[in-house]
Every structure is written in C-alpha cells, then in structure tokens.
C-alpha cells in the first residue's frame, strides 16, 4: 500500500503535472504517451484507494473474525489480494486511455492530450464516469467507515470483558500485553483510514456536487471551479504521502525493509566494483 501511494506521488505531481506542463516539448507530451500517463495515474490511484480498503478489511478480520483469521491473514492471501487489486484497478481504468485525442500536430507527430467531446455527451462515457466515481472513492468511503465502526465496536466490547476478567483474577490493574497490541492496531488503523477519509473528502464532495449541479468548467485562476479543483486534488495527493509516513513512524519492520531497499543498490554496485 505504501508502494502504491509512493507511485501516485511520483506519477501524478511529477510526470503528469510538472513535466507535461513545464516542459511542453518533452516526449511525455506526445499524445499516445500523454494518454498512457493519464491512464496510469488513474490506475495507480484506484489501486492505492482499494489497497486501503483491503488493509481495513484485513484488520477487521484479524480483530473480529477469529475463525477466519487463521485462513485469511496469511502472506499467500495478502499476495493474492494485492495482485487482484492491481489487475482490477488497471483493467477498470483502461478506458481512460481512449478518452483523449491530440490537441496539436507538429513534425508529423500528435502532441498533448485533449479530452474528446464525446466524453461529455456519449451515454456510454457518462455511464463509465458514474461507475468510476462510485468505485473510486464512494464505495471505499462506505466500506472503510462500516468496517471501522464494526472493528471499534468489537474492540470496545472485548476490552471491557478482558479488563473485567483480569481485574477479578488479579485484583489490580497493570499493563496487559494483549490490550497494548490492540491499542497499537487501532492507532495504525485509524491513522491510515482516518487520513484517507479526511483528505479524500474534498475530492469526493467536489465531484458529487459538480456532477449534480452540472457546472460548466471554468479554468480561469480566479474561478471557484478551478480553485476548488486544485485544492481538492492537492489534498487527495497529500493523502498518498501519509501512509508511507505512518508506516515509517509506527512499524519497525517496515523501517527495516525500507532501509534495506535504500542500501541494496549501493551494495550491488559495491559488489560489482569488487568483482
């Protein structure tokens, strides 16, 4: 999940925003490559969102479903779920490539990406837009909120029972390792899902409101549409940075793997030089 968020942070602000806007004659602005970049950004964003849902469901199973936990919470299942989310996220965003056409032609090459007019008028494209917004982020919002409520309810009930039993058996209060583990799980769960909901809320409300009101696009820098769109996009991109930071701050194993990944190229180059 942290890797997919990192890819969103690389592809969207860097490839999509910085290079294509400030370097208009780079190879990334050739229409097929531009359309591929746009579709890739949508696909990676969808994968990032649904991996957050998968993580929330995994914590729900681990805490609330004791019988299912032993079969579901395994490395093999995690690999299958991650692979399925990546494949489905890419397939769902394949049509994004076909909604663009060239905006300019120079030296027998088509440059820049312009959204086709049929994207706003064709019933098929309208249906796709609605489906895309339902899948990302409306359903994830609902699932994350529902799973969090169920998880918290189970933790609160189990904590009361466990605290009562241990209080009766020991006659005193002291730190319970099981309760500490549950507390850490809850902190991690709500840190990730809470920041996701807060930072994606502006984007979701923006698209729902503009879809209902059917507002005309106003790209002037002082227009309300432009300011709201840029702000919501900024917050949505910021949400992709939080998961990586949360993992670095809370998970020692993740920090160790991250340090290993950073050192690996240096170690490989050093080995090649020595050989």
């Amino acid at each position: 999940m942290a890797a997919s968020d990192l890819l969103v942070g690389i592809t969207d602000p860097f490839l999509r925003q910085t290079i294509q806007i400030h370097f208009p004659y780079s190879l990334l602005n050739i229409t097929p490559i531009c359309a591929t970049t746009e579709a890739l950004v949508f696909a990676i964003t969808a994968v990032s969102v649904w991996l957050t849902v998968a993580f929330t469901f995994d914590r729900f199973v681990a805490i609330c479903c004791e019988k299912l936990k032993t079969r579901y919470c395994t490395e093999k299942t995690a690999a299958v779920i991650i692979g399925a989310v990546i494949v489905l996220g890419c397939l769902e965003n394949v049509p994004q490539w076909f909604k663009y056409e060239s905006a300019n032609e120079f030296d027998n090459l088509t440059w820049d990406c312009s959204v086709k007019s049929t994207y706003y008028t064709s019933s098929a494209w309208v249906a796709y837009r609605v489906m895309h917004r339902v899948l990302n982020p409306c359903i994830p919002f609902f699932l994350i909120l529902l799973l969090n409520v169920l998880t918290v309810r189970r933790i609160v009930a189990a904590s009361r029972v466990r605290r009562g039993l241990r209080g009766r058996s020991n006659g005193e209060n002291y730190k319970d390792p099981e309760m500490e583990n549950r507390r850490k799980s809850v902190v991690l769960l709500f840190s990730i899902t809470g920041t996701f909901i807060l930072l994606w809320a502006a984007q979701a409300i923006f698209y729902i409101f503009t879809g209902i009101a059917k507002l005309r696009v106003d790209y002037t820098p002082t227009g309300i549409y432009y300011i709201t769109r840029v702000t919501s996009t900024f917050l949505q991109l910021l949400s992709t940075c939080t998961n990586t930071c949360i993992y670095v701050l809370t998970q020692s194993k993740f920090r160790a793997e991250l340090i290993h990944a950073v050192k690996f190229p240096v170690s490989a180059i050093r080995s090649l030089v020595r050989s």
Side-chain angles (χ1 to χ4, degrees):
M1 183 168 61
S4 64
D5 289 341
L6 183 61
L7 286 175
V8 174
I10 294 173
T11 56
D12 201 327
F14 184 67
L15 295 180
R16 189 188 191 190
Q17 307 288 344
T18 304
I19 293 182
Q20 289 186 0
I21 294 175
H22 297 285
F23 299 92
Y25 298 107
S26 67
L27 293 177
L28 289 176
N29 286 282
I30 298 175
T31 301
I33 300 177
C34 174
T36 302
T37 302
E38 294 288 336
L40 183 63
V41 169
F42 280 105
I44 295 175
T45 303
V47 169
S48 173
V49 170
W50 280 98
L51 283 180
T52 304
V53 177
F55 168 79
T56 308
F57 182 74
D58 181 83
R59 294 299 84 198
F60 168 76
V61 172
I63 294 172
C64 302
C65 307
E66 293 295 334
K67 295 182 179 179
L68 183 60
K69 176 182 176 180
T70 55
R71 300 197 307 271
Y72 182 82
C73 298
T74 62
E75 292 185 5
K76 182 178 179 180
T77 303
V80 172
I81 295 297
I82 292 173
V85 169
I86 292 174
V87 171
L88 293 175
C90 293
L91 291 177
E92 188 263 325
N93 286 280
V94 167
Q96 299 285 354
W97 192 90
F98 297 96
K99 78 178 186 181
Y100 295 104
E101 62 183 1
S102 63
N104 300 292
E105 188 172 346
F106 182 73
D107 285 344
N108 295 322
L109 285 176
T110 55
W111 291 84
D112 301 327
C113 288
S114 176
V115 178
K116 297 177 180 177
S117 58
T118 55
Y119 180 73
Y120 301 102
T121 58
S122 170
S123 57
W125 278 117
V126 171
Y128 174 77
R129 290 208 312 274
V130 172
M131 182 198 69
H132 179 72
R133 289 306 168 193
V134 168
L135 291 175
N136 182 28
C138 294
I139 291 179
F141 261 56
F142 172 76
L143 291 177
I144 288 174
L145 288 174
L146 176 63
L147 292 171
N148 280 346
V149 169
L150 295 176
T151 302
V152 169
R153 187 177 67 175
R154 176 59 182 267
I155 290 175
V156 171
S159 299
R160 288 176 180 174
V161 173
R162 187 176 180 85
R163 192 180 297 111
L165 293 175
R166 293 188 70 85
R168 291 177 185 177
S169 60
N170 298 306
E172 58 182 0
N173 294 323
Y174 63 93
K175 288 187 176 180
D176 184 356
E178 179 65 23
M179 295 298 296
E180 288 294 315
N181 290 333
R182 290 181 182 179
R183 185 183 66 81
K184 291 179 181 179
S185 297
V186 171
V187 170
L188 179 61
L189 174 65
F190 277 93
S191 297
I192 292 176
T193 58
T195 53
F196 170 82
I197 291 173
L198 289 175
L199 295 176
W200 266 89
Q203 184 84 293
I205 295 172
F206 169 74
Y207 279 112
I208 291 172
F209 180 76
T210 52
I212 294 174
K214 297 182 179 180
L215 297 177
R216 292 286 182 181
V217 178
D218 179 13
Y219 283 107
T220 58
T222 57
I224 296 177
Y225 181 96
Y226 178 84
I227 295 173
T228 307
R229 184 174 183 273
V230 170
T231 303
S232 62
T233 301
F234 171 76
L235 292 175
Q236 176 250 310
L237 291 174
L238 183 62
S239 71
T240 62
C241 305
T242 56
N243 287 350
T244 306
C245 296
I246 290 170
Y247 267 101
V248 170
L249 293 174
T250 60
Q251 300 295 302
S252 57
K253 291 183 179 179
F254 182 84
R255 289 196 298 271
E257 291 294 332
L258 185 62
I259 293 173
H260 176 72
V262 172
K263 290 182 178 179
F264 179 77
V266 179
S267 301
I269 294 172
R270 187 179 300 173
S271 300
L272 289 174
V273 171
R274 288 179 178 176
S275 61

